[in-house]
Amino acid sequence: MSDGSHGDTGSSDPVIEAVFDAVAATAPAIRDALPGRRVESDAENPSGETTLAGDMYADELLGEALTAIDGVGAYVSEERPEATDAGEGYSVAVDPLDGSSNLRSNNAMGTVVGVYEGSLPATGRELVAAGYTLLGPITTMVVADESGVREEVVTRAGDAEGDRGDESGGNGGSGRVKERDGSKERDGSGVVRSVVDDDLTLPEDPTVYGFGGRVPDWPDAFRGYAREVEDELKLRYGGSMVGDVNQVVTYGGVFAYPALVDAANGKLRLSFEANPIAYIIEAMGGAASDGTRPILDVEPDGLHDRVPLYVGNEGLIRRLEAALDGE
Ligand code: F6P
Ligand code: MN
C-alpha cells in the first residue's frame, strides 16, 4: 500500500505503456472540453442511448491517439458500432466517457480501457491490461497489468504536481521518457503520470456499497442481499461506474449494476465496462461476477453485449452469488 512515496513502476510491454500514456494524455483535454459539451448530441450510441457531445469528443480524441500506436490493431469503442482497424496488434476497447450522464450535474466521470490480446468479441480472459481514469477534483488513473495494480495522479507537465516530472531531474531528459521519483512524462505528451500507490489491493475490511438501478426494478433475491449489505456498509453511490468502483477500490466493499426485472443483463457493457473493471478488481484480490460465474468467463455474442456486474471484496461477492442462487 501507499506510504506517500512515489513508486517507480510501469508496464514492461511498451505497447501497453503507450496505451496508458495515450489515455492519460487525453484526460486533461477531455476535461477542458467538457464545459461546452454538456448538451445532447443528435446521435444514439450502439446501445440505443442518447450521447452527449462530450462522449463524441472523447471518442474522437481517444480513437486518434490509440490507433496511432504501433502494436494496436483495433480501436473498439462503446460509441462505435464496429471496431476501427489500426493494423496488427492488441484490440483496445474503450468507454470514452463513462458516467457522462453526470455531466449536467457536474459529478465524477472518466474513461475505461481494456487491452485485449486478440480481436473482439472475446472473453475477458483475453485481457492483458486494463485501467480507468477518474475526472474528479483531481485526475487519477488506476492501471492493472501483469505486474499488478497502481494508482497514478495525472497532471499537465508544468503544473504543481507535474513539476516532479520535468526535465530538471530523473534521467536528465536524455531518453524519450523523463522520469523522477516515479513520475514521468513521455516527451510531447504534455502530461505527467505520478504513481501514488504502486501496489493497490482491496482493503480487507470493506466499508462501502453502491448499487445501480431503481429498487423496484431489482429482483427479490438481490433486494434481500441489498437489505443485509445496507446494515453492514455505508452507501456511496454517485451514478458513474468509474466513480462508484473507485469508492470500492479505495475503501473496500461492493459495487453492482444488477440484473433488473425487465433487463436480465442489467445496463453495463461487457467488453468496455465490466471486463476491464473485473480484471482490475481481481488483480487487487477481489472478485467480479455476473451473479453466477466470473465476469471474465462470460462469452459475448456481440461487441455491445450487456451483463450484470457485481464486484468487490471476495466474501461479499460469494454471498451475493449464494443469495441469487436461491432465486
Ligand atoms: O455507462 C453507463 C453508466 O453511466 C455507468 O457509469 C453507471 O454506473 C450507470 O450508467 C448509471 O446508470 P443509471 O443512472 O441509468 O442507473
Ligand atoms: Mn459507461
Side-chain angles (χ1 to χ4, degrees):
M1 293 294 291
S2 178
D3 58 1
S5 67
H6 296 267
D8 181 11
T9 54
S11 178
S12 57
D13 181 329
V15 179
I16 292 173
E17 211 38 30
V19 166
F20 287 139
D21 278 339
V23 170
T26 53
I30 291 173
R31 185 190 277 280
D32 283 354
L34 293 180
R37 290 183 170 78
R38 301 168 81 182
V39 291
E40 289 179 357
S41 72
D42 296 332
E44 273 191 359
N45 72 15
S47 303
E49 297 161 344
T50 305
T51 53
L52 289 154
D55 295 297
M56 309 304 284
Y57 183 73
D59 176 54
E60 260 170 52
L61 277 190
L62 287 157
E64 267 172 40
L66 292 166
T67 53
I69 297 170
D70 263 351
V72 169
Y75 172 72
V76 197
S77 166
E78 194 178 290
E79 304 302 340
R80 303 186 185 193
E82 307 292 343
T84 302
D85 184 36
E88 288 291 310
Y90 295 129
S91 295
V92 181
V94 169
D95 178 357
L97 199 51
D98 175 67
S100 57
S101 63
N102 270 355
L103 197 43
R104 282 185 60 201
S105 63
N106 187 25
N107 277 286
M109 64 196 69
T111 295
V112 189
V113 60
V115 183
Y116 292 79
E117 187 84 57
S119 59
L120 294 181
T123 74
R125 297 288 171 204
E126 292 286 309
L127 282 167
V128 292
Y132 62 84
T133 64
L134 181 56
L135 306 179
I138 57 175
T139 303
T140 54
M141 184 161 80
V142 170
V143 300
D145 58 24
E146 86 292 337
S147 68
V149 190
R150 303 173 288 285
E151 184 181 28
E152 304 177 358
V153 170
V154 177
T155 50
R156 280 186 201 283
D159 287 354
E161 271 285 309
D163 282 342
R164 280 199 305 270
D166 72 17
E167 57 271 84
S168 60
N171 66 7
S174 53
R176 237 164 66 70
V177 180
K178 299 170 194 164
E179 227 169 317
R180 186 182 182 193
D181 296 338
S183 303
K184 60 183 174 181
E185 178 199 353
R186 211 162 265 267
D187 281 351
S189 73
V191 301
V192 174
R193 295 169 51 193
S194 304
V195 177
V196 290
D197 191 334
D198 63 9
D199 183 20
L200 216 48
T201 53
L202 272 193
E204 275 174 30
D205 288 329
T207 47
V208 300
Y209 75 96
F211 300 150
R214 297 169 64 240
V215 177
D217 296 333
W218 291 349
D220 287 346
F222 183 73
R223 253 198 258 191
Y225 171 78
R227 278 255 82 92
E228 282 181 24
V229 167
E230 281 165 15
D231 281 341
E232 299 165 23
L233 306 175
K234 283 192 290 193
L235 172 62
R236 284 289 184 274
Y237 187 74
S240 78
M241 183 191 68
V242 281
D244 295 326
V245 163
N246 206 55
Q247 295 275 2
V248 172
V249 162
T250 309
Y251 300 114
V254 52
F255 167 80
Y257 205 105
L260 305 177
V261 171
D262 293 326
N265 291 325
K267 176 170 188 191
L268 301 178
R269 266 70 32 145
L270 178 66
S271 302
F272 311 105
E273 296 170 314
N275 271 336
I277 295 303
Y279 181 91
I280 295 164
I281 296 285
E282 283 200 7
M284 291 181 67
S289 172
D290 74 344
T292 57
R293 66 201 145 149
I295 284 287
L296 297 177
D297 284 335
V298 176
E299 291 279 354
D301 293 323
L303 282 181
H304 297 275
D305 280 12
R306 298 178 193 266
V307 72
L309 176 66
Y310 310 89
V311 288
N313 287 72
E314 171 113 38
L316 286 159
I317 301 305
R318 296 289 93 89
R319 275 171 59 193
L320 173 275
E321 287 177 333
L324 297 193
D325 200 26
E327 252 181 327

